[in-house]
Amino acid sequence: MIQRTTIEANGARFHLAETGAGRPLLLLHGWPEFWFTWEPVMTRLAHRFRLIAPDLRGFGDSDKPAGPFAPHNHADDLLALLNQLGIERIGVVGHDVGGAAMQPLARLAPDRFAGLFFFDFPYPGIGSRMGSPDSLIEIWYQSFNQMPMAPALVGASRETCKAYIGHFLRHWSWRKDAFDSVIEVFVDNFMKPGNLEGGFAHYKGSHAGRIAMMKGALPAFPPIDIPTCVRWAEHDAVLPFAWSDRLSETFSNLDFAQFPGVGHFPHREDPDRAAAEIGGFFERIGWCELTARNSSEPPPPSPSGPKRFHSA
Amino acid sequence: MIQRTTIEANGARFHLAETGAGRPLLLLHGWPEFWFTWEPVMTRLAHRFRLIAPDLRGFGDSDKPAGPFAPHNHADDLLALLNQLGIERIGVVGHDVGGAAMQPLARLAPDRFAGLFFFDFPYPGIGSRMGSPDSLIEIWYQSFNQMPMAPALVGASRETCKAYIGHFLRHWSWRKDAFDSVIEVFVDNFMKPGNLEGGFAHYKGSHAGRIAMMKGALPAFPPIDIPTCVRWAEHDAVLPFAWSDRLSETFSNLDFAQFPGVGHFPHREDPDRAAAEIGGFFERIGWCELTARNSSEPPPPSPSGPKRFHSA
């Protein structure tokens, strides 16, 4: 029931997966992922929302023009995509690269977004901690992915691609088997011509900003006022929970809590709870048509566990 | 005229290349190298010195027992090797990994070493600079080389091995063609079973010490008093010249100067001058039998250019 379409926007063709009915939600994937990473969440929320999951520029079946692609390039793409779709107002859900793109996107056109929902993602308050000596063993890929030799090394064969992509899907997960049943689908995706390069183009594009963040040299932006919900994983190896402590500097209207028992990929490690957290947030802010709920389906599980709210 | 032998010491077999006559010099290679990296220097100094270039544990044709191999493990090997060779006193020349091993080696048996000669190498005074944000794009390999997937990725084929090893030999060189004529020999070497893993075992073994250095948490050792000469390359991308400014904290008897016009591999980028610098130092400290010089050969070129001497 997931429909696939291709739409031209901002000079490139974007592949979208779409399902469900109700208020629209835009779902933005990370690296090394593509739209399909949201599939378990999409099937769980389709009775309540219209769900639109694009492949970001460079990823999946979207175009792969010459990079680099910085987060603000993805933001330009996504706003153009909403215009092409004729969508005036939408909720946005993202993590990792998707969450990085959501920040310039929210600043580009704040009136277009009903709410922002994030799983673990880079934001300015992480600061120098990302480059601390103990983090180096985790963040080397941000540099390796920029090397001219990287696509040839990783893409030398299906086996090398699986070793590399599979490393991150497993290492960054807390539930180690989260991707086992779909690993070949992910390898299929990254073996498509240009897809390794397309993902690496994000690392080239985000390099200067990331280094500026580590140096404390990012320009100061005013906080984002759009209603925001962040559920940060308890056990993320690459974006540790401790780094979520400065979110209220970037988001003035923040509903924050830990997502227990998962690593970097809550949407794949615990899709029941991930869907419930997303649905619950957009319901709380009134971005949900209750009439769209199909009463023949069981209600979605409620989020539980400790919850903290940051004040801005 | 270079002789190859294998000698058992410290529980492993070590492959040595040996040539020349005169006072003995031990030549210690770096990564991604093996004894053969010294060949141009060996041919230039053979009329003045007995030159012994081992493959470090894990490298070349030496044994590759299970790692990790920290610098002090290499130091134990080298002292055992000198004992097996019946060499009471020797001069030591090294760079990179070899230079890292020379520091614990010098502290292990200071009376056994007439002098120490270094090209660019890690030492405690580099400190937190190695992990600074601007350095991350250079030092990622120190982490990647520790990943369980690294040998399979790099060693997937001769092409991937050449792409990876060749990247460092070219990127770290200032004279970009320095390894062009021998690149296949280096690839042959690293395609031998276990040689990628053997080199990577050094990065596993040196990880804790490197992180402690970046944190400023290394134990304080008294300086090394053995006559020491350091010629640090003008254009080293991975160990920049600026990082040579604290050598006198580690070496109390230091003859220091910049090596102009080269990058990380002076011995391959400018072997004439590299050999002259090495020979000149050991001559100055009296570790040279002038009678061993073959008067039918032209004298070696003299070192020239600016020279600075640090006081301890």
Side-chain angles (χ1 to χ4, degrees), chain A residues 134 136 140 143-144 156 215, chain B residues 134 136 140 143-144 160 214-215:
Chain A
D134 287 327
L136 300 182
W140 59 266
S143 295
F144 173 82
K215 290 177 170 178
Chain B
D134 288 326
L136 300 182
W140 59 268
S143 295
F144 173 82
T160 55
M214 294 181 197
K215 291 179 171 177

Side-chain angles (χ1 to χ4, degrees), chain A residues 25-28 38 41 45 90-96 98-100 102 113-121 226-232 251 253-257 259 266-267 273-285 303 307:
Chain A
L25 296 183
L26 185 66
L27 304 172
L28 303 178
W38 292 114
V41 162
L45 290 176
I90 196 165
V92 193
V93 178
H95 96 125
D96 193 83
M102 281 165 70
F113 305 107
L116 309 174
F117 184 102
F118 296 87
F119 296 125
D120 313 23
F121 66 109
I226 301 166
T228 299
C229 185
V230 176
R231 294 291 178 266
W232 204 289
F251 304 98
N253 188 348
L254 177 65
D255 167 356
F256 173 81
F259 195 125
H267 45 293
R273 181 167 181 144
E277 294 280 5
I278 294 167
F281 167 67
F282 286 104
E283 212 166 90
R284 285 195 297 282
I285 64 168
K307 201 162 289 181

Side-chain angles (χ1 to χ4, degrees), chain A residues 131 133-134 136-137 139-140 143-144 146-147 149 152-154 156 160 163-164 167-168 207 211 214-215, chain B residues 131 133-134 136-137 139-140 143-144 146-147 149 152-154 156 160 163-164 167-168 207 211 214-215:
Chain A
D134 287 327
L136 300 182
I137 197 77
I139 66 158
W140 59 266
S143 295
F144 173 82
Q146 299 179 53
M147 295 294 124
M149 67 176 158
L153 262 190
V154 175
T160 54
Y164 193 71
H167 164 79
F168 296 102
H207 178 74
I211 299 304
M214 293 181 197
K215 290 177 170 178
Chain B
D134 288 326
L136 300 182
I137 197 74
I139 66 158
W140 59 268
S143 295
F144 173 82
Q146 299 179 53
M147 294 295 123
M149 67 176 157
L153 263 189
V154 175
T160 55
Y164 192 72
H167 164 79
F168 296 101
H207 178 75
I211 299 303
M214 294 181 197
K215 291 179 171 177

Side-chain angles (χ1 to χ4, degrees), chain B residues 225-258:
Chain B
D225 297 328
I226 300 166
T228 299
C229 185
V230 176
R231 293 293 177 265
W232 203 289
E234 187 182 4
H235 303 293
D236 192 328
V238 67
L239 294 170
F241 181 75
W243 295 357
S244 64
D245 60 350
R246 293 178 57 187
L247 283 164
S248 59
E249 296 171 15
T250 297
F251 303 97
S252 61
N253 188 348
L254 177 65
D255 166 356
F256 173 81
Q258 188 176 84

Side-chain angles (χ1 to χ4, degrees), chain A residues 1 8 10 18 29 46 51 63 115 125 129 146 155 164 182-183 196 201 238 240 261 269 283:
Chain A
M1 246 85 63
E8 199 148 341
N10 200 26
E18 189 173 344
H29 65 79
L51 301 154
D63 270 356
R129 294 178 286 190
Q146 299 179 53
Y164 193 71
V182 291
I183 182 67
L196 287 168
V238 68
E269 298 183 59
E283 212 166 90

Side-chain angles (χ1 to χ4, degrees), chain A residues 23-301:
Chain A
R23 297 289 177 95
L25 296 183
L26 185 66
L27 304 172
L28 303 178
H29 65 79
W31 182 90
E33 300 172 271
F34 61 117
W35 80 267
F36 178 68
T37 204
W38 292 114
E39 194 259 357
V41 162
M42 292 171 83
T43 57
R44 284 164 175 80
L45 290 176
H47 63 288
R48 291 205 274 169
F49 298 93
R50 177 185 173 196
L51 301 154
I52 304 168
D55 287 328
L56 294 175
R57 176 181 291 241
F59 290 81
D61 293 319
S62 288
D63 270 356
K64 293 152 239 307
F69 315 143
H72 70 85
N73 301 126
H74 292 305
D76 291 341
D77 289 346
L78 294 164
L79 190 60
L81 204 57
L82 294 182
N83 292 340
Q84 283 296 313
L85 289 165
I87 294 175
E88 184 53 40
R89 204 166 156 77
I90 196 165
V92 193
V93 178
H95 96 125
D96 193 83
V97 174
M102 281 165 70
Q103 297 163 75
L105 180 62
R107 291 194 161 96
L108 202 55
D111 296 342
R112 305 286 290 271
F113 305 107
L116 309 174
F117 184 102
F118 296 87
F119 296 125
D120 313 23
F121 66 109
Y123 77 101
I126 292 174
S128 63
R129 294 178 286 190
M130 183 175 272
S132 66
D134 287 327
S135 295
L136 300 182
I137 197 77
E138 295 293 342
I139 66 158
W140 59 266
Y141 72 96
Q142 298 170 354
S143 295
F144 173 82
N145 285 358
Q146 299 179 53
M147 295 294 124
M149 67 176 158
L153 262 190
V154 175
S157 70
R158 192 173 173 89
E159 286 64 42
T160 54
C161 183
K162 184 172 175 178
Y164 193 71
I165 300 300
H167 164 79
F168 296 102
L169 296 179
R170 176 168 284 263
H171 175 59
W172 289 347
S173 290
W174 181 252
R175 297 191 177 174
K176 292 298 179 192
D177 60 353
F179 288 89
D180 283 2
S181 64
V182 291
I183 182 67
E184 298 300 336
V185 182
F186 275 73
V187 177
D188 287 344
N189 169 69
F190 279 102
M191 286 301 285
K192 290 181 182 177
N195 272 19
L196 287 168
E197 292 86 340
F200 295 161
H202 164 77
Y203 289 93
K204 292 177 182 167
S206 59
H207 178 74
R210 199 164 43 237
I211 299 304
M213 177 186 81
M214 293 181 197
K215 290 177 170 178
L218 281 181
F221 286 113
I224 293 168
D225 296 328
I226 301 166
T228 299
C229 185
V230 176
R231 294 291 178 266
W232 204 289
E234 185 181 6
H235 303 293
D236 191 328
V238 68
L239 294 171
F241 181 75
W243 296 357
S244 64
D245 60 350
R246 292 178 57 186
L247 283 164
S248 59
E249 296 171 14
T250 297
F251 304 98
S252 61
N253 188 348
L254 177 65
D255 167 356
F256 173 81
Q258 187 176 84
F259 195 125
V262 295
H264 187 61
F265 305 103
H267 45 293
R268 281 272 165 188
E269 298 183 59
D270 187 352
D272 283 343
R273 181 167 181 144
E277 294 280 5
I278 294 167
F281 167 67
F282 286 104
E283 212 166 90
R284 285 195 297 282
I285 64 168
W287 193 251
C288 185
E289 292 155 17
L290 292 177
T291 53
R293 182 176 293 177
N294 181 340
S295 61
S296 72
E297 290 186 23

